[in-house]
Coordinates of all heavy atoms in Angstrom, one line a residue:
L4 N 5.3 32.3 33.8 CA 5.5 31.3 34.8 C 4.9 31.9 36.1 O 5.1 33.1 36.4 CB 7.0 31.0 35.0 CG 7.6 30.2 34.0 CD1 9.1 29.9 34.3 CD2 6.9 28.8 33.8
I5 N 4.3 31.0 36.9 CA 3.9 31.4 38.3 C 4.9 30.6 39.2 O 4.7 29.5 39.7 CB 2.5 30.9 38.6 CG1 1.5 31.5 37.5 CG2 2.1 31.4 40.0 CD1 0.1 31.1 37.7
C6 N 6.1 31.2 39.4 CA 7.2 30.5 40.0 C 6.9 30.2 41.4 O 6.4 31.0 42.2 CB 8.5 31.3 39.8 SG 9.0 31.4 38.1
G7 N 7.4 29.1 41.9 CA 7.3 28.7 43.3 C 6.1 27.9 43.6 O 6.0 27.3 44.7
G9 N 5.0 25.1 42.5 CA 5.1 23.6 42.7 C 6.1 23.2 43.8 O 6.2 22.1 44.1
F36 N 12.2 34.0 31.8 CA 11.3 33.3 30.9 C 10.6 34.3 30.0 O 10.4 34.0 28.8 CB 10.3 32.6 31.8 CG 9.4 31.6 31.1 CD1 9.8 30.4 30.7 CD2 8.1 32.0 30.7 CE1 9.0 29.5 30.0 CE2 7.2 31.2 30.0 CZ 7.7 29.9 29.7
F55 N 16.3 30.9 28.5 CA 15.5 29.7 29.0 C 16.5 28.8 29.8 O 16.1 28.2 30.8 CB 14.9 28.9 27.8 CG 13.7 29.6 27.2 CD1 13.6 29.7 25.8 CD2 12.8 30.2 28.0 CE1 12.6 30.4 25.2 CE2 11.7 30.9 27.4 CZ 11.6 31.0 26.0
C58 N 17.0 30.3 33.2 CA 15.7 30.1 33.9 C 15.6 28.7 34.4 O 15.3 28.5 35.6 CB 14.6 30.5 33.1 SG 12.9 30.2 33.8
L59 N 16.0 27.7 33.6 CA 15.9 26.3 34.0 C 16.9 26.0 35.1 O 16.5 25.3 36.1 CB 16.3 25.4 32.8 CG 16.3 23.9 33.0 CD1 14.9 23.4 33.4 CD2 16.8 23.2 31.8
K60 N 18.1 26.6 35.1 CA 19.1 26.3 36.2 C 18.5 26.8 37.5 O 18.7 26.2 38.6 CB 20.4 27.0 35.9 CG 21.2 26.4 34.7 CD 22.4 27.2 34.4 CE 23.2 26.5 33.2 NZ 24.4 27.3 32.9
I61 N 17.9 28.0 37.5 CA 17.3 28.6 38.8 C 16.2 27.7 39.3 O 16.2 27.3 40.5 CB 16.8 30.0 38.5 CG1 18.0 30.9 38.2 CG2 16.1 30.5 39.8 CD1 17.6 32.3 37.8
L62 N 15.2 27.3 38.4 CA 14.0 26.6 38.8 C 14.4 25.1 39.2 O 13.7 24.6 40.1 CB 13.0 26.7 37.8 CG 12.4 28.0 37.5 CD1 11.3 27.9 36.4 CD2 11.8 28.7 38.8
Y63 N 15.3 24.6 38.5 CA 15.6 23.2 38.7 C 16.2 23.0 40.1 O 15.8 22.0 40.8 CB 16.6 22.7 37.7 CG 17.0 21.2 37.8 CD1 16.2 20.3 37.1 CD2 18.1 20.8 38.5 CE1 16.4 18.9 37.2 CE2 18.4 19.4 38.6 CZ 17.5 18.5 37.9 OH 17.8 17.1 38.0
G64 N 17.0 23.9 40.6 CA 17.6 23.8 41.9 C 16.5 24.0 43.0 O 16.6 23.5 44.1
T65 N 15.5 24.8 42.7 CA 14.5 25.1 43.7 C 13.3 24.2 43.7 O 12.8 23.8 44.8 CB 13.9 26.6 43.4 OG1 15.0 27.5 43.3 CG2 13.0 27.0 44.5
L66 N 12.8 23.8 42.5 CA 11.6 23.0 42.4 C 11.7 21.6 42.1 O 10.8 20.8 42.2 CB 10.7 23.7 41.4 CG 10.4 25.2 41.5 CD1 9.5 25.7 40.4 CD2 9.7 25.4 42.9
G67 N 12.9 21.2 41.5 CA 13.1 19.8 41.1 C 12.7 19.5 39.7 O 12.0 20.3 39.0
Q68 N 13.1 18.3 39.2 CA 13.0 18.0 37.7 C 11.5 17.8 37.3 O 11.2 18.2 36.1 CB 13.8 16.8 37.4 CG 13.7 16.3 36.0 CD 14.6 15.1 35.7 OE1 15.7 15.1 36.1 NE2 14.1 14.2 34.9
E69 N 10.7 17.3 38.1 CA 9.3 17.0 37.7 C 8.3 18.0 37.9 O 7.1 17.8 37.7 CB 8.9 15.7 38.4 CG 9.7 14.5 38.0 CD 9.4 13.2 38.7 OE1 8.5 13.3 39.7 OE2 9.9 12.1 38.4
N70 N 8.7 19.2 38.4 CA 7.8 20.3 38.6 C 7.3 20.8 37.2 O 8.0 20.8 36.2 CB 8.6 21.4 39.3 CG 7.7 22.7 39.5 OD1 7.6 23.5 38.6 ND2 7.0 22.7 40.7
V71 N 6.0 21.1 37.2 CA 5.4 21.5 35.9 C 6.0 22.7 35.3 O 6.3 22.8 34.1 CB 3.8 21.8 36.2 CG1 3.2 22.4 34.9 CG2 3.1 20.5 36.6
E72 N 6.4 23.7 36.1 CA 7.0 24.9 35.6 C 8.4 24.6 35.0 O 8.8 25.2 34.0 CB 7.1 26.0 36.7 CG 5.7 26.5 37.1 CD 5.8 27.6 38.2 OE1 6.9 27.9 38.5 OE2 4.7 28.0 38.7
V73 N 9.1 23.7 35.7 CA 10.4 23.3 35.1 C 10.2 22.6 33.8 O 11.0 22.9 32.8 CB 11.1 22.3 36.1 CG1 12.4 21.7 35.4 CG2 11.5 23.1 37.4
C74 N 9.2 21.8 33.7 CA 8.9 21.1 32.4 C 8.5 22.1 31.3 O 8.9 22.0 30.1 CB 7.8 20.1 32.6 SG 8.2 18.7 33.7
L75 N 7.8 23.2 31.6 CA 7.4 24.2 30.6 C 8.6 25.0 30.1 O 8.7 25.3 29.0 CB 6.4 25.1 31.2 CG 5.0 24.5 31.6 CD1 4.1 25.5 32.1 CD2 4.4 23.8 30.4
V76 N 9.6 25.2 31.1 CA 10.8 25.9 30.6 C 11.6 25.0 29.7 O 12.2 25.4 28.7 CB 11.6 26.3 31.9 CG1 13.0 26.9 31.4 CG2 10.9 27.3 32.7
R77 N 11.7 23.7 30.1 CA 12.4 22.7 29.2 C 11.7 22.7 27.8 O 12.5 22.6 26.8 CB 12.3 21.3 29.8 CG 13.2 21.1 31.0 CD 13.4 19.6 31.2 NE 14.2 19.3 32.4 CZ 15.5 19.3 32.4 NH1 16.1 19.6 31.3 NH2 16.1 19.0 33.5
E78 N 10.4 22.8 27.7 CA 9.8 22.8 26.4 C 10.2 24.0 25.6 O 10.6 23.8 24.4 CB 8.3 22.8 26.6 CG 7.5 22.9 25.3 CD 6.0 23.2 25.5 OE1 5.6 23.4 26.7 OE2 5.3 23.4 24.5
R79 N 10.2 25.2 26.2 CA 10.6 26.3 25.4 C 12.1 26.3 25.1 O 12.5 26.8 24.0 CB 10.3 27.6 26.3 CG 8.9 27.8 26.5 CD 8.1 27.9 25.2 NE 8.3 29.2 24.6 CZ 8.1 29.5 23.3 NH1 7.7 28.5 22.5 NH2 8.3 30.7 22.8
L80 N 12.9 25.7 26.0 CA 14.3 25.6 25.7 C 14.5 24.6 24.5 O 15.3 24.9 23.6 CB 15.1 25.0 26.9 CG 16.6 24.7 26.7 CD1 17.4 26.0 26.3 CD2 17.2 24.1 28.0
Q96 N 15.4 17.7 25.5 CA 14.6 18.6 26.4 C 13.1 18.2 26.3 O 12.4 18.2 27.4 CB 14.9 20.0 26.1 CG 16.3 20.5 26.3 CD 16.7 20.4 27.8 OE1 15.9 20.5 28.7 NE2 18.0 20.2 28.0
L99 N 12.5 15.0 28.4 CA 12.5 15.3 29.9 C 11.2 16.0 30.3 O 10.6 15.8 31.3 CB 13.7 16.1 30.2 CG 15.1 15.3 30.1 CD1 16.2 16.3 30.4 CD2 15.1 14.1 31.1
A100 N 10.8 17.0 29.4 CA 9.6 17.7 29.8 C 8.4 16.8 29.8 O 7.5 16.8 30.7 CB 9.4 18.9 28.7
L101 N 8.3 15.9 28.8 CA 7.2 15.0 28.7 C 7.2 14.1 29.8 O 6.1 13.8 30.4 CB 7.3 14.2 27.3 CG 6.2 13.2 27.0 CD1 4.8 14.0 27.0 CD2 6.4 12.5 25.7
G103 N 8.3 14.5 32.9 CA 7.9 15.2 34.1 C 6.4 15.5 34.1 O 5.7 15.4 35.1
L104 N 5.9 16.0 32.9 CA 4.5 16.3 32.9 C 3.6 15.1 33.1 O 2.6 15.1 33.7 CB 4.2 17.0 31.5 CG 4.7 18.4 31.3 CD1 4.6 18.8 29.8 CD2 4.1 19.4 32.2
R107 N 3.4 14.3 36.8 CA 2.6 15.2 37.6 C 1.2 15.3 37.2 O 0.3 15.4 38.0 CB 3.2 16.6 37.6 CG 4.5 16.8 38.5 CD 4.1 16.6 39.9 NE 5.2 16.9 40.8 CZ 5.5 18.0 41.4 NH1 4.7 19.0 41.2 NH2 6.5 18.2 42.2

Side-chain angles (χ1 to χ4, degrees):
L4 289 179
I5 305 175
C6 295
F36 189 79
F55 291 134
C58 179
L59 178 63
K60 290 177 180 178
I61 295 173
L62 294 182
Y63 184 84
T65 306
L66 306 178
Q68 178 173 320
E69 295 177 351
N70 180 271
V71 172
E72 293 180 5
V73 172
C74 294
L75 296 181
V76 175
R77 284 194 184 279
E78 178 192 359
R79 295 301 285 160
L80 178 59
Q96 294 300 328
L99 290 175
L101 182 61
L104 290 171
R107 282 298 182 94

